[in-house]
Amino acid sequence: MALTTSSMLRRALRLATSIEAPLLSQRQAARRFHASPPTLKKRKIAPAANSPPTATATATASQTPSSPDPLDPLNFTSLLAAFAPQDTHFRAQLQTILHGGRFNPSSLGALPIPVKSADGTPETFPLGELAQVVPRSGRAISLLVNERAYIKPIMSAVQASREFNQQPQRSEDNDLELLMRVEPERKEELVRRVKEAAQAWRHQVRQARSRHDKVLKGWARDGTVLKDAAKRAERELQKVQDGKMREIDAEEAQTIKMLERR
């Protein structure tokens, strides 16, 4: 019986050892951090420039104040954004009138020139892409034409233009050069053009304000915004327009004052 008991104990010990050995190996392997491959944090790779916008990018773009917000009817950020390109355009126009008038190289270089392509299709290019506009001494401007085929279209366009209305003359020394005379403009004419530019600027401001006003009235009609809130927004909108008009008046007066000092 004792022998039987001893045999049973040895068998039980061997069984326990056989079960515990794999578990011990697993625990030892788990402790060997230096032998385990490191777990790296995944990189965020920027999308390609031509890839479609992600949902996050779309949500961010939708938060850009590109249109009036009914949740904040007193926020006129979108209207001021509509004013910005017009401000840039008309300020540049006033500076062109002030410094060189219509014969300013930038103004002359922007004159549209109709040109026929090789297959006969009509295309239009600014003069500055077809020729170099170079001011010369003696109140003259030189047009250094890139190709001989552009000479006649440029001459016709300049002669037909309301701003210049003259026939460029061919140079005796260079068959790709056209010469224009700079006609002095009277101050009265320059002042008239300044006033016309300022008036066109005001017209653009009124149009932008009108579009914003229609949005406010639409919100009031469909109940998106309370009528009292819409009326208050309309009053503030008028103040924004009045401020912009005062700004244009100041630009016009300053430009005319500088013209009269010359």
Side-chain angles (χ1 to χ4, degrees):
M1 183 70 179
L3 181 60
T4 303
T5 303
S6 177
S7 298
M8 292 176 64
L9 289 173
R10 286 197 296 271
R11 289 178 181 177
L13 181 60
R14 285 197 298 271
L15 178 62
T17 303
S18 64
I19 295 174
E20 186 176 358
L23 296 176
L24 179 61
S25 299
Q26 291 179 7
R27 287 196 295 269
Q28 289 174 345
R31 292 191 190 100
R32 294 171 186 168
F33 295 110
H34 63 279
S36 303
T39 303
L40 300 178
K41 184 178 180 180
K42 294 183 179 180
R43 292 184 303 159
K44 292 184 179 180
I45 301 176
N50 58 351
S51 62
T54 61
T56 303
T58 304
T60 302
S62 64
Q63 296 173 0
T64 303
S66 58
S67 59
D69 183 4
L71 298 179
D72 189 6
L74 296 179
N75 185 346
F76 301 113
T77 304
S78 61
L79 179 62
L80 298 177
F83 287 161
Q86 300 299 332
D87 293 349
T88 301
H89 170 76
F90 287 106
R91 283 197 177 99
Q93 188 172 342
L94 293 178
Q95 288 300 308
T96 298
I97 297 171
L98 183 61
H99 302 289
R102 66 182 187 274
F103 286 94
N104 182 288
S106 299
S107 179
L108 183 57
L111 181 69
I113 309 294
V115 177
K116 287 186 178 180
S117 60
D119 59 359
T121 305
E123 296 182 84
T124 301
F125 300 93
L127 189 149
E129 292 187 10
L130 307 180
Q132 298 180 48
V133 182
V134 182
R136 300 295 189 190
S137 59
R139 303 191 66 83
I141 288 180
S142 175
L143 305 179
L144 302 177
V145 184
N146 299 337
E147 296 182 19
R148 188 169 284 100
Y150 301 149
I151 291 178
K152 287 186 178 179
I154 290 175
M155 293 177 68
S156 299
V158 172
Q159 187 175 19
S161 66
R162 179 173 175 265
E163 295 85 356
F164 307 105
N165 190 27
Q166 64 172 274
Q167 179 67 61
Q169 302 298 314
R170 288 178 176 269
S171 171
E172 296 180 357
D173 302 324
N174 184 352
D175 60 352
L176 289 179
E177 182 179 17
L178 298 175
L179 298 173
M180 293 180 60
R181 64 182 183 277
V182 178
E183 298 177 350
E185 296 182 84
R186 296 180 304 168
K187 289 183 180 179
E188 294 80 2
E189 176 64 18
L190 293 174
V191 169
R192 181 189 66 80
R193 292 175 57 202
V194 168
K195 290 182 177 295
E196 287 181 352
Q199 191 60 29
W201 191 356
R202 294 185 187 95
H203 177 69
Q204 293 296 328
V205 168
R206 293 189 186 98
Q207 284 192 324
R209 178 262 167 88
S210 179
R211 289 192 294 268
H212 197 97
D213 192 49
K214 287 180 180 178
V215 173
L216 291 176
K217 286 181 167 56
W219 289 342
R221 282 195 305 271
D222 60 22
T224 302
V225 173
L226 295 177
K227 291 185 177 180
D228 290 344
K231 288 182 178 178
R232 181 184 174 189
E234 289 176 10
R235 291 194 297 269
E236 295 300 321
L237 179 61
Q238 182 63 47
K239 293 180 182 178
V240 172
Q241 176 178 307
D242 292 344
K244 177 56 67 174
M245 292 301 182
R246 287 193 295 270
E247 182 181 328
I248 296 173
D249 291 344
E251 292 277 354
E252 178 185 8
Q254 179 67 16
T255 305
I256 292 175
K257 185 176 180 180
M258 294 178 71
L259 283 173
E260 291 176 344
R261 287 178 178 175
R262 299 194 321 186

